[in-house]
Amino acid sequence: MSYPGYPPTGYPPFPGYPPTGQESSFPPPGQYPYPSGFPPMGGGAYPPAPSSGYPGAGGYPAPGGYPAPGGYPGAPQPGGAPSYPGVLPGQGFGAPPGGAGFSGYPQPPTQSYGGGPAQVPLPGGFPGGAMPSQYPGGQPPYPSQPAAMTQGTHGTIRPAANFDAMRDAEVLRKAMKGFGTDEQAIIDVVANRSNDQRQKIKAAFKTMYGKDLIKDLKSELSGNMEELILALFMPPTYYDAWSLRNAMKGAGTQERVLIEILCSRTNQEIREIVRCYQSEFGRDLEKDIRSDTSGHFERLLVSMCQGNRDENQNVNHQLAQEDAQRLYQAGEGRLGTDESCFNMVLATRSFPQLKATMEAYSRMANRDLLSSVSREFSGNVESGLKTILQCALNRPAFFAERLYYSMKGAGTDDSTLVRIVVTRSEIDLVQIKQMFSQMYQKTLGTVIASDTSGDYRKLLLAIVGQ
């Protein structure tokens, strides 16, 4: 039974984000100064993360037009499906309305997420901070994105002030000269410079010493530390393209990597990845996807790599109703599943529009769209469709869940850990850390520290900013 009166676990309002329009767009890719024969890094196949449903995340402004919660009668949740947090029917996905006039929504105090575990205030009604029983097994809920968070996002890495590429190049050269390597000096430079600044250090190094910084670093480092440093020195678009190429090279395909990148990036990011993939590897991304995947999963990824999703931030509520009806009739409302209908809606609609569709769907079908996708699909196509929905709902929570599963259980999926920490470090890693604390009651830094060691751990924590 869901509680129409309660917001899910209290989301602290996040203070002053940069204005709308500065959502996650990668810094414009510079040149791609990598030889195309760039050897593959360590960290073999990525173990598949459990497809338990990935909480989504989105760096998108919340559309203004939602009907006030309470405008819809709260329909009870059917027994089996655990409620997607924030998807209390009759309540707009859990984000409490901003107005002070809504007495039903306690406003949690503003958090400062400095060091230490974040104390996430729980609104009254969940005594002792216990999760309500509607989350069986204590599985943390998928939080919907709090309204304040959607105003913009923050990376943990900012460009260094008083940046001097030649001075940094000299520090790196000294750190690698003679016997042994001064890893701490390398960490201090790379963790405190933006990707753009690292490209300049690479260029300065070659100008000053006539040597390739990347080759020098490779000869001094090994294993996870090497993979992490090399990732930090790749331009963002190149790193995504390289990760996709690596996921499809050789025997077997790492589908989780294809899903994570292609289903979570913006149009502009995807188009740049497609161009870079062609220019750096001399290959057509769409052709490689076609030859490495099949069926409905192939169609979904081909749709994604067009980079053609509608990006209009205004929500059309009439369309959301129609799409919800359409999806219901393509899945729950018939025998079998009309996969192409799901593909069409999820590949073309904007993220804010999909969020509205999910709300309309749970009011209409009495079940949330994510659980319907789980019932109607399986395997990779299920993971892909859920990733799109989770990114519409709350993109940082999607990445927080991916990070959690990369370190859960025996062994660590280091490639996923490195890829997410590096690719989100200048986009929304601050929000990812906040969601991580809320979803798992531990900080991201604590989990990384207990799962990694040595200089690799030091550098990861320096990027995450503990």
Side-chain angles (χ1 to χ4, degrees):
M1 168 68 190
S2 53
Y3 304 89
Y6 291 160
T9 49
Y11 294 177
F14 304 123
Y17 282 172
T20 314
Q22 279 171 243
E23 284 94 7
S24 72
S25 78
F26 280 131
Q31 298 315 305
Y32 301 112
Y34 276 84
S36 39
F38 198 62
M41 299 178 187
Y46 304 46
S51 69
S52 68
Y54 288 79
Y60 290 86
Y66 286 137
Y72 294 93
Q77 205 76 5
S83 151
Y84 196 81
V87 189
L88 306 176
Q91 182 200 324
F93 268 64
F102 289 82
S103 54
Y105 293 89
Q107 293 294 59
T110 305
Q111 283 303 105
S112 71
Y113 284 83
Q119 289 303 311
V120 182
L122 291 168
F126 303 153
M131 284 285 181
S133 59
Q134 87 203 69
Y135 308 125
Q139 189 38 11
Y142 296 158
S144 161
Q145 195 143 6
M149 188 202 254
T150 52
Q151 299 312 303
T153 50
H154 288 154
T156 52
I157 293 184
R158 304 277 168 84
N162 310 321
F163 168 67
D164 179 341
M166 292 173 85
R167 187 180 60 216
D168 286 348
E170 199 172 340
V171 170
L172 292 177
R173 172 96 176 101
K174 281 197 183 119
M176 295 185 287
K177 224 170 140 191
F179 290 110
T181 307
D182 179 356
E183 276 93 355
Q184 191 56 51
I186 298 177
I187 290 172
D188 291 341
V189 170
V190 298
N192 296 300
R193 306 289 182 273
S194 67
N195 189 282
D196 198 42
Q197 290 174 331
R198 289 183 216 117
Q199 304 313 317
K200 290 177 176 143
I201 296 171
K202 212 157 56 178
F205 193 91
K206 192 168 262 185
T207 305
M208 292 162 73
Y209 306 112
K211 298 178 74 175
D212 189 304
L213 174 59
I214 302 304
K215 281 189 183 143
D216 275 17
L217 286 165
K218 278 177 75 74
S219 66
E220 298 288 333
L221 305 165
S222 62
N224 294 327
M225 180 66 169
E226 177 187 348
E227 177 162 359
L228 177 53
I229 291 268
L230 295 187
L232 286 163
F233 274 102
M234 293 188 203
T237 305
Y238 179 91
Y239 184 34
D240 277 348
W242 179 86
S243 300
L244 291 171
R245 177 76 194 105
N246 225 35
M248 292 185 280
K249 228 160 57 176
T253 303
Q254 294 153 21
E255 289 90 355
R256 293 275 2 155
V257 182
L258 305 183
I259 292 169
E260 179 200 302
I261 295 175
L262 294 171
C263 297
S264 71
R265 303 298 193 247
T266 63
N267 286 352
Q268 185 193 352
E269 288 161 5
I270 287 175
R271 288 175 187 164
E272 285 165 359
I273 290 166
V274 170
R275 274 199 297 273
C276 176
Y277 194 91
Q278 180 68 58
S279 65
E280 299 299 310
F281 309 115
R283 304 177 69 93
D284 182 322
L285 178 58
E286 189 182 316
K287 267 191 193 146
D288 279 0
I289 287 171
R290 284 183 190 284
S291 66
D292 263 57
T293 58
S294 61
H296 296 294
F297 181 53
E298 172 196 331
R299 290 178 210 172
L300 181 65
L301 292 185
V302 168
S303 295
M304 290 299 102
C305 74
Q306 304 312 303
N308 252 342
R309 178 182 298 287
D310 173 29
E311 288 192 336
N312 175 3
Q313 298 301 298
N314 300 322
V315 172
N316 174 340
H317 290 281
Q318 178 61 38
L319 179 65
Q321 287 295 135
E322 288 163 13
D323 280 346
Q325 194 68 45
R326 205 174 271 149
L327 293 172
Y328 184 78
Q329 281 161 0
E332 300 278 6
R334 56 172 283 169
L335 222 66
T337 309
D338 174 2
E339 293 88 356
S340 63
C341 175
F342 278 84
N343 194 96
M344 186 280 288
V345 174
L346 271 63
T348 59
R349 306 293 188 243
S350 73
F351 284 126
Q353 183 67 37
L354 283 174
K355 191 172 175 181
T357 301
M358 290 168 85
E359 289 167 26
Y361 188 93
S362 49
R363 286 194 298 267
M364 183 196 77
N366 232 348
R367 163 177 288 139
D368 72 79
L369 186 51
L370 278 154
S371 62
S372 290
V373 167
S374 299
R375 291 157 59 97
E376 298 291 325
F377 294 88
S378 61
N380 294 317
V381 67
E382 176 196 351
S383 304
L385 293 170
K386 281 173 140 179
T387 296
I388 295 168
L389 293 174
Q390 286 150 347
C391 286
L393 200 57
N394 184 335
R395 192 187 264 118
F398 164 72
F399 286 113
E401 198 194 43
R402 289 285 285 142
L403 284 169
Y404 178 75
Y405 283 110
S406 74
M407 296 180 280
K408 189 178 188 279
T412 303
D413 174 2
D414 290 289
S415 290
T416 295
L417 175 56
V418 165
R419 191 176 57 252
I420 295 178
V421 166
V422 172
T423 54
R424 310 314 290 182
S425 62
E426 292 180 50
I427 298 175
D428 53 6
L429 193 50
V430 169
Q431 282 68 42
I432 291 169
K433 282 162 61 179
Q434 288 166 352
M435 294 319 311
F436 194 95
S437 302
Q438 271 174 35
M439 291 159 66
Y440 303 110
Q441 282 72 55
K442 326 182 235 228
T443 67
L444 176 57
T446 323
V447 180
I448 289 177
S450 66
D451 241 61
T452 56
S453 61
D455 295 312
Y456 173 56
R457 172 205 277 163
K458 274 188 209 159
L459 180 49
L460 279 172
L461 292 176
I463 299 166
V464 169
Q466 283 305 307

PDB file of all heavy atoms in Angstrom, residues 3 31 120 147 309 324 394:
ATOM      1  N   TYR A   3       1.560   5.396   0.313  1.00  0.00           N
ATOM      2  CA  TYR A   3       1.008   6.431   1.169  1.00  0.00           C
ATOM      3  C   TYR A   3       0.902   7.700   0.388  1.00  0.00           C
ATOM      4  O   TYR A   3       1.874   8.416   0.266  1.00  0.00           O
ATOM      5  CB  TYR A   3       1.949   6.683   2.332  1.00  0.00           C
ATOM      6  CG  TYR A   3       2.237   5.433   3.088  1.00  0.00           C
ATOM      7  CD1 TYR A   3       3.296   4.618   2.715  1.00  0.00           C
ATOM      8  CD2 TYR A   3       1.465   5.054   4.165  1.00  0.00           C
ATOM      9  CE1 TYR A   3       3.584   3.457   3.400  1.00  0.00           C
ATOM     10  CE2 TYR A   3       1.751   3.892   4.848  1.00  0.00           C
ATOM     11  CZ  TYR A   3       2.803   3.088   4.468  1.00  0.00           C
ATOM     12  OH  TYR A   3       3.075   1.954   5.139  1.00  0.00           O
ATOM     13  N   GLN A  31      40.870  18.414 -30.037  1.00  0.00           N
ATOM     14  CA  GLN A  31      41.395  17.433 -30.967  1.00  0.00           C
ATOM     15  C   GLN A  31      41.375  16.132 -30.205  1.00  0.00           C
ATOM     16  O   GLN A  31      41.261  16.108 -29.006  1.00  0.00           O
ATOM     17  CB  GLN A  31      42.838  17.807 -31.337  1.00  0.00           C
ATOM     18  CG  GLN A  31      42.910  19.140 -32.022  1.00  0.00           C
ATOM     19  CD  GLN A  31      41.830  19.271 -33.074  1.00  0.00           C
ATOM     20  OE1 GLN A  31      41.714  18.435 -33.965  1.00  0.00           O
ATOM     21  NE2 GLN A  31      40.996  20.277 -32.983  1.00  0.00           N
ATOM     22  N   VAL A 120      20.585  12.005   5.866  1.00  0.00           N
ATOM     23  CA  VAL A 120      19.440  12.368   5.045  1.00  0.00           C
ATOM     24  C   VAL A 120      18.210  12.424   5.930  1.00  0.00           C
ATOM     25  O   VAL A 120      17.827  11.420   6.510  1.00  0.00           O
ATOM     26  CB  VAL A 120      19.236  11.318   3.957  1.00  0.00           C
ATOM     27  CG1 VAL A 120      18.084  11.719   3.090  1.00  0.00           C
ATOM     28  CG2 VAL A 120      20.512  11.191   3.151  1.00  0.00           C
ATOM     29  N   ALA A 147      12.972  18.715  -7.225  1.00  0.00           N
ATOM     30  CA  ALA A 147      12.864  19.841  -8.143  1.00  0.00           C
ATOM     31  C   ALA A 147      14.107  20.714  -8.141  1.00  0.00           C
ATOM     32  O   ALA A 147      14.597  21.124  -9.181  1.00  0.00           O
ATOM     33  CB  ALA A 147      11.645  20.675  -7.780  1.00  0.00           C
ATOM     34  N   ARG A 309      16.807  12.292 -30.217  1.00  0.00           N
ATOM     35  CA  ARG A 309      15.716  12.416 -29.251  1.00  0.00           C
ATOM     36  C   ARG A 309      15.218  13.864 -29.223  1.00  0.00           C
ATOM     37  O   ARG A 309      15.995  14.802 -29.334  1.00  0.00           O
ATOM     38  CB  ARG A 309      16.247  12.026 -27.862  1.00  0.00           C
ATOM     39  CG  ARG A 309      15.240  12.140 -26.744  1.00  0.00           C
ATOM     40  CD  ARG A 309      15.860  11.780 -25.398  1.00  0.00           C
ATOM     41  NE  ARG A 309      16.335  10.400 -25.344  1.00  0.00           N
ATOM     42  CZ  ARG A 309      15.542   9.334 -25.270  1.00  0.00           C
ATOM     43  NH1 ARG A 309      14.233   9.491 -25.256  1.00  0.00           N
ATOM     44  NH2 ARG A 309      16.051   8.125 -25.219  1.00  0.00           N
ATOM     45  N   ALA A 324       1.054   7.000 -22.550  1.00  0.00           N
ATOM     46  CA  ALA A 324       0.845   6.049 -21.457  1.00  0.00           C
ATOM     47  C   ALA A 324      -0.162   4.989 -21.905  1.00  0.00           C
ATOM     48  O   ALA A 324       0.034   3.783 -21.717  1.00  0.00           O
ATOM     49  CB  ALA A 324       0.337   6.788 -20.223  1.00  0.00           C
ATOM     50  N   ASN A 394      15.721  10.323 -12.976  1.00  0.00           N
ATOM     51  CA  ASN A 394      16.766  10.851 -12.104  1.00  0.00           C
ATOM     52  C   ASN A 394      18.118  10.282 -12.550  1.00  0.00           C
ATOM     53  O   ASN A 394      18.523   9.216 -12.099  1.00  0.00           O
ATOM     54  CB  ASN A 394      16.441  10.440 -10.664  1.00  0.00           C
ATOM     55  CG  ASN A 394      17.424  11.014  -9.665  1.00  0.00           C
ATOM     56  OD1 ASN A 394      18.564  11.315 -10.005  1.00  0.00           O
ATOM     57  ND2 ASN A 394      16.994  11.156  -8.435  1.00  0.00           N
TER      58      ASN A 394
END
